[in-house]
Amino acid sequence: MTETLPEVSLPVAEGADVDGVVAVEGHDLAVHCKGSGHPTLVILHGWIDQPGITSYGYYGALTNELEPDFRVCSYDRANVGDSEAVPGTQTPEMVVGDLDGLMETIGDPGPFILIGQSAGGMVASAYAVAHPGKVVGIVMVDASFDEEITLEDVGMVPDGVGPCDPENRRRDGEESLQKIDNCAMYKWAYERRDLRPKVPLVYLAAEHAPWSDQTELGPAYAEAIIPLQQSYAASWSPGKFEWVDSGHDIHSENPGAVGDAVRWIVKEGNK
């Protein structure tokens, strides 16, 4: 954890900037919030595998796009960025509990629009079924989502490469920087899919780097993933799938597309 971030002074006044660490469940989490308004947007970062990468730095362009019109918060999950390390493997309950506890501690109990980028989509999937009353919309930014696990469950992913492959699962949970059990995250959210809130969702897919071209999970997965993304998006209330003129890092290459998706969600939610 970087020692230069101060402790956040609590309670946080409504609309005040937040830039520091907050103690949640016995460990410090780095959090940054700017702007004002309701609902708050929460950016959920992707899979960080190198020390020193922070959500605040990685999503600066997206925060700048959204902050004039919304309150925008980002945070570093435990073990990465400026947040503190925790012992053992992180379970879905721990990951969801950190997010919920963090926002409660800084005085923002929701509701939220979740912006899940890449692996942050797993966190959005899990949080939405754990706290459906606190979620009013979701933007998936070329993101992982719980229904992907169905492809591995039916043998469409070769042995040795999926998140539930025993060796990959061990590496994710014990050797990676984040130490999250990705298999458990997918399954935990998917098994609770009946609890998903009836809210708008936009799935933004990278036109320049579609998963069907980039994936290493095998040809059956590559053929099935984009139709699954599309059907997943269509299952929300309402939901839509959009190709974006960008590579995988839509949040930095085309942040306006994410901003447009958020504004569409707000408009749909106010109907």
Side-chain angles (χ1 to χ4, degrees), residues 60-81:
L62 181 57
T63 299
N64 291 339
E65 164 69 26
L66 298 169
E67 183 259 339
D69 300 319
F70 302 99
R71 183 159 180 79
V72 187
C73 294
S74 61
Y75 76 106
D76 298 337
R77 291 193 286 275
N79 298 333
V80 300

Side-chain angles (χ1 to χ4, degrees), residues 163-266:
C164 291
D165 173 78
E167 181 58 20
N168 282 346
R169 187 173 186 176
R170 186 192 64 78
R171 282 196 295 262
D172 287 344
E174 299 177 13
E175 296 181 2
S176 73
L177 188 63
Q178 294 200 59
K179 294 183 173 61
I180 292 177
D181 185 342
N182 287 324
C183 177
M185 287 287 291
Y186 282 113
K187 287 183 176 291
W188 193 88
Y190 183 69
E191 289 167 359
R192 291 163 175 79
R193 62 192 181 280
D194 290 345
L195 299 176
R196 290 174 185 164
K198 297 185 182 302
V199 299
L201 177 143
V202 180
Y203 192 100
L204 301 177
E207 190 171 20
H208 296 177
W211 284 19
S212 55
D213 291 346
Q214 301 298 320
T215 182
E216 298 176 353
L217 296 177
Y221 181 96
E223 184 175 351
I225 184 59
I226 290 174
L228 186 62
Q229 291 169 340
Q230 293 169 333
S231 65
Y232 168 78
S235 71
W236 288 76
S237 303
K240 65 177 180 176
F241 172 95
E242 290 187 349
W243 289 109
V244 179
D245 182 15
S246 174
H248 178 61
D249 289 339
I250 296 172
H251 62 280
S252 58
E253 296 177 40
N254 195 340
V258 184
D260 289 345
V262 169
R263 294 178 181 93
W264 180 82
I265 283 174
V266 171

Side-chain angles (χ1 to χ4, degrees), residues 16-76:
D17 286 358
V18 178
D19 184 25
V21 295
V22 174
V24 179
E25 298 294 332
H27 54 274
D28 285 345
L29 296 176
V31 58
H32 310 272
C33 299
K34 297 176 69 175
S36 60
H38 300 281
T40 297
L41 315 182
V42 181
I43 299 172
L44 307 173
H45 65 73
W47 189 256
I48 294 176
D49 58 7
Q50 294 179 345
I53 297 177
T54 68
S55 61
Y56 182 70
Y58 199 59
Y59 297 98
L62 181 57
T63 299
N64 291 339
E65 164 69 26
L66 298 169
E67 183 259 339
D69 300 319
F70 302 99
R71 183 159 180 79
V72 187
C73 294
S74 61
Y75 76 106
D76 298 337

